[in-house]
Every structure is written in structure tokens, then in C-alpha cells.
Amino acid sequence: MSWSRALLTALAVCALLLAGSAGCGSGDAHARKGDRVSPSPVGKVLDDTDEQGRHYREVDKKGAPEVGVEVEPDAADDSWDVTLTVHDFRFSPAGAKPVAVAGRGTVRLLVDGRTVARLRVPEYRLAADLVPHGTHHVTARLYADDGTVWAVHGKPVESTADITASAVQATPDGSKVPSSGSTPAQGSK
């Protein structure tokens, strides 16, 4: 009887070893496959770049993300209230993977072509010192999470509002009121 127990034990150990090694091999294959970074199937990355060297990601006009920008002066503190309107676009949360996902990402706010903020929400307060006396272009441009610029027909998806910051004027009661204004956004896709 002892030889039959030994044989059964040996067969059981062999079966476990074979099953275990087969399981390890398939697990390793999944781990290696999951570690690979595959190219994004969203749009086509173009050779064209923005001012900071970020490549454009061309998508079809149908279903492409859109952005509108409205800028209004805030007399209380000489700042500017920026409101974005987006269509077919979702703001990515902080910590999103750096992968392009259709219609998702961040908005870069530019004043006269210089990035002043990276937005994950549709509202922003633009400090007065970023908009000195004179006429300025405030642009909202859409970016994918991988840093590429959403583009349609080779042009970035963006919208621009022209604003004019005037000198602060004192009122008869001693308060200060900026004489500022903005023009409607000029969107492009």
C-alpha cells in the first residue's frame, strides 16, 4: 500500500507542477502584453506643431470637439472672467493617463500666444497683471491628454476673443472702475 500512496503523491505533485508552470507562463504573457504602449487609434498625428512644438492630432470635422471662449471684465478686482463652452469634448481629471481619447483632454488658455493656464474646468479668473493696458487676444485651445493639439483640416481646434484693457478710472465716490471690454470670440476648427 505504501507504494500506491507514493505513486499517487508523485502523480499529484507532477500534476501541480505542470498546472503551475502553465499558469505562470500565461500570466507572464499577459503582464508583458499589458506593459506595451500601443499607438492611439484616435485621429492622425500630423507633422505640424503649435508654438510650443506640440503636434496636431487631426480628426474628422464630424464629431470633432469644439470650444468657444467668452471673456468679461470683473470690476471688483480688475481681473477677467473667462467662460468656455465646449461641444463633443470632456475635461480630463487630474492624473489622467497621457493617452489621446476621442473628445477628451485639457484646454490651454493663451494670452497673445503665450500659455497662461492649463484648464480642466470651463471657468477661469484671468489676473489683471496678465492683461496689461491695450488690446489682447485670449485663445482657448483644445489638447488631448497625450499633449497633442486637437485639429481639424490642419488647424487647431480653438477660439479667440479680443479684449481691450484700459486704464483704471476713478469714480466720484473714490472707487476704481476699469474701462475695459471684449469682442465676441472668433472660433476656428
Side-chain angles (χ1 to χ4, degrees):
M1 265 214 208
S2 64
W3 68 272
S4 61
R5 278 191 195 163
L7 181 59
L8 287 176
T9 303
L11 286 173
V13 168
C14 287
L16 288 173
L17 287 175
L18 288 174
S21 66
C24 291
S26 64
D28 289 343
H30 285 292
R32 278 187 298 250
K33 182 178 180 183
D35 289 342
R36 280 188 277 149
V37 177
S38 62
S40 177
V42 180
K44 176 185 176 188
V45 177
L46 305 177
D47 290 333
D48 295 335
T49 63
D50 69 359
E51 302 86 9
Q52 289 100 22
R54 291 179 174 82
H55 287 274
Y56 290 178
R57 180 174 296 278
E58 180 80 25
V59 292
D60 290 333
K61 184 173 181 166
K62 182 180 179 184
E66 297 177 27
V67 64
V69 62
E70 182 179 326
V71 185
E72 293 290 328
D74 186 339
D77 62 2
D78 297 337
S79 65
W80 296 81
D81 293 327
V82 178
T83 305
L84 305 176
T85 305
V86 295
H87 297 284
D88 295 324
F89 184 81
R90 292 178 326 228
F91 290 93
S92 295
K97 291 184 181 183
V99 175
V101 175
R104 193 177 86 184
T106 60
V107 175
R108 290 186 193 252
L109 193 64
L110 301 98
V111 174
D112 297 330
R114 184 178 59 107
T115 301
V116 296
R118 183 174 170 198
L119 306 178
R120 296 182 183 280
V121 294
E123 295 170 345
Y124 183 74
R125 178 155 301 196
L126 186 60
D129 62 339
L130 295 173
V131 187
H133 178 74
T135 301
H136 303 279
H137 308 290
V138 178
T139 302
R141 184 178 295 156
L142 300 184
Y143 286 77
D145 290 322
D146 66 352
T148 56
V149 182
W150 290 113
V152 174
H153 299 302
K155 302 221 184 274
V157 177
E158 63 184 26
S159 182
T160 299
D162 293 334
I163 62 173
T164 302
S166 301
V168 176
Q169 298 175 350
T171 62
D173 67 358
S175 64
K176 295 179 180 178
V177 178
S179 55
S180 312
S182 67
T183 59
Q186 305 287 320
S188 66
K189 262 181 56 174

